[in-house]
Amino acid sequence: MTGAAALRALHHDRAPGDPLVLPGPWDAASARAFAAAGFPALATPSAGVAASLGYRDGETPAGEMFAAVARITRAVDVPVTADIEDGYGLAPGELVERLLEAGAVGCNLEDGNRATGGLKDPERHADWLAEVRAAAGESLVINARVDVFARKEAAARGSAGADPERLAEEAIARGRRYAAAGADCVYPIAAPPRLLPRLAAGLGTPLNALAKPDGPSPRELGELGATRVTFGPGLFRQALAAVEDIAERLRQA
């Protein structure tokens, strides 16, 4: 079984309360730690990788991001899916080629428009995702990130309005388009946990939920309908907080 097939299989036939938990390594050392703990796959966070390289989220040059992903995939024997933001403006064929060269077997692709702070046209984004799928075949697990909850102000200016219930309908409509275009999983990032059952039922595909330190546990998110749980840069931030604590204790010693 290929790495992509193994990762794809992990998304299916999961019991409620037993989601696929994917820690987010930001470098080779953290990847080894998570793999050694027994996690079956890993998911790099763009913001965590960016911070480890000295960039703000969304400002990492594509070459540096792919190089960081390659260092992570070389360090572990488990499948790695990579957050590559909006694809860095690369043509679908080149994007797929660079992901595979880096050793990734999956990717996050978002529908937020970083240039405008709004959202991409869902039909055009679905067409682009279909081109990525055509170029990748079955060699990549595509996680389509839906940004309507993360970009509420932009959504409020559009048809969805700012009401969470209406945002859920917009997320479902976008996610269904992206699944039809070939996405394996849909990720309505920052969706309120109480809306996960509705999102899971409306999408009809594996659902990725974001775990937060002050929110429901991964098991609880699974019980609400999440198939897969990721952490964004949260684990990196916890590790950085520990380093800052060490630094402060050293300064006071």
Side-chain angles (χ1 to χ4, degrees), residues 210-229:
L210 174 68
K212 297 182 178 180
D214 58 350
S217 69
R219 179 174 295 279
E220 290 169 329
L221 291 172
E223 291 170 346
L224 289 170
T227 309
R228 150 178 168 162
V229 174

Side-chain angles (χ1 to χ4, degrees), residues 166-223:
R166 296 186 67 190
L167 291 175
E169 290 304 309
E170 178 72 7
I172 289 169
R174 284 175 174 265
R176 289 177 69 89
R177 278 183 182 270
Y178 304 158
D184 297 279
C185 185
V186 175
Y187 181 18
I189 187 171
R194 66 179 178 82
L195 293 178
L196 291 179
R198 180 176 176 183
L199 290 165
L203 289 166
T205 60
L207 173 67
N208 190 148
L210 174 68
K212 297 182 178 180
D214 58 350
S217 69
R219 179 174 295 279
E220 290 169 329
L221 291 172
E223 291 170 346

Side-chain angles (χ1 to χ4, degrees), residues 44 49 64-74 80 82 84 102-104:
T44 70
V49 173
E64 292 199 43
M65 182 63 75
F66 286 115
V69 171
R71 288 191 291 272
I72 288 169
T73 63
R74 285 197 300 268
V80 176
I84 50 168

